[in-house]
Amino acid sequence: MTRPLIRPATVDDIPALHRLVRDLAAYEREPDAVTATPEDLRIALFPRSADPAVHADPAVHADVVEVHGDVVGMAVWFLTFSTWTGQHGIWLEDLYVEPEHRGRGLGRRLLEGLAARAVERGGTRVEWTVLDWNAPAIRFYRSLGAEPLEQWRTQRLHGDALARVARRARDASEVSETSETSEISGISEAGS
């Protein structure tokens, strides 16, 4: 029997990653919530610099698990930073293994790989969220020693609220620039 392979994703894995993201959304009861395209994932995971001589570092990464040449699981992650510890950590955005491949330790191996990466980089934590109704995942995470942060609540700005808050910042910036221009004009006029 071929041993499953855990490895960093490559650009050739984009179609499989997109399929897994859609499968995860369906599992999480949000099948229509995925708006990311394969091209969106390619740009995020494998950005290209306008200058071919300059390497563009991705802000997000993915590891995959491959069984018999097929990608059957993924861990999508990015670096975080704790001002309290002064160290980086890893945020696990998505962990997913196809249902027919669960129970074989693949999710555990993906998480162990992230933990090793965090420690190798001097990181102090790996964090993620889990839906409160996902009892199998919660049991799995507890078996690893993960602790719930019950006192913390995830907050999110998106959609209209995000646009409204961004507009306020832009409007405040325009007012500030207008004030600065008026002050500079006033100085110039006073000095003439």
Side-chain angles (χ1 to χ4, degrees):
M1 181 170 158
T2 305
R3 181 175 164 90
L5 175 65
I6 306 287
R7 60 174 176 76
T10 68
V11 73
D12 292 335
D13 296 319
I14 294 297
L17 286 167
H18 190 255
R19 174 182 47 79
L20 292 171
V21 167
R22 295 183 64 76
D23 290 351
L24 173 60
Y27 175 78
E28 292 183 345
R29 304 174 186 164
E30 294 283 345
D32 299 325
V34 176
T35 60
T37 66
E39 182 63 5
D40 292 332
L41 294 178
R42 197 228 24 100
I43 290 167
L45 291 165
F46 305 100
R48 296 181 186 138
S49 171
D51 179 352
V54 176
H55 175 71
D57 289 325
V60 64
H61 309 272
D63 296 329
V64 296
V65 58
E66 190 178 298
V67 174
H68 303 297
D70 295 323
V71 173
V72 301
M74 67 175 182
V76 179
W77 58 276
F78 54 89
L79 293 178
T80 61
F81 183 77
S82 169
T83 56
W84 291 9
T85 67
Q87 303 298 319
H88 283 282
I90 288 177
W91 182 267
L92 174 60
E93 180 64 20
D94 286 327
L95 177 70
Y96 184 74
V97 174
E98 291 176 341
E100 58 271 21
H101 294 281
R102 292 182 191 155
R104 297 173 49 197
L106 302 179
R108 177 180 297 274
R109 287 189 52 205
L110 283 164
L111 267 170
E112 287 169 349
L114 287 181
R117 188 176 280 119
V119 169
E120 287 164 6
R121 293 176 177 214
T124 57
R125 57 178 71 157
V126 176
E127 298 177 295
W128 61 92
T129 58
V130 60
L131 290 166
D132 60 1
W133 56 260
N134 193 347
I138 292 168
R139 279 192 304 277
F140 167 61
Y141 298 143
R142 295 298 172 276
S143 77
L144 295 173
E147 301 172 356
L149 301 177
E150 302 289 347
Q151 68 277 22
W152 293 89
R153 297 285 184 242
T154 302
Q155 304 297 302
R156 175 181 295 163
L157 271 176
H158 66 106
D160 292 341
L162 177 61
R164 186 174 52 254
V165 172
R167 193 169 38 254
R168 288 179 188 156
R170 189 176 55 248
D171 293 347
S173 174
E174 289 171 2
V175 168
S176 176
E177 288 173 11
T178 303
S179 297
E180 289 173 13
T181 303
S182 297
E183 288 174 16
I184 292 170
S185 297
I187 293 170
S188 298
E189 291 169 6
S192 24

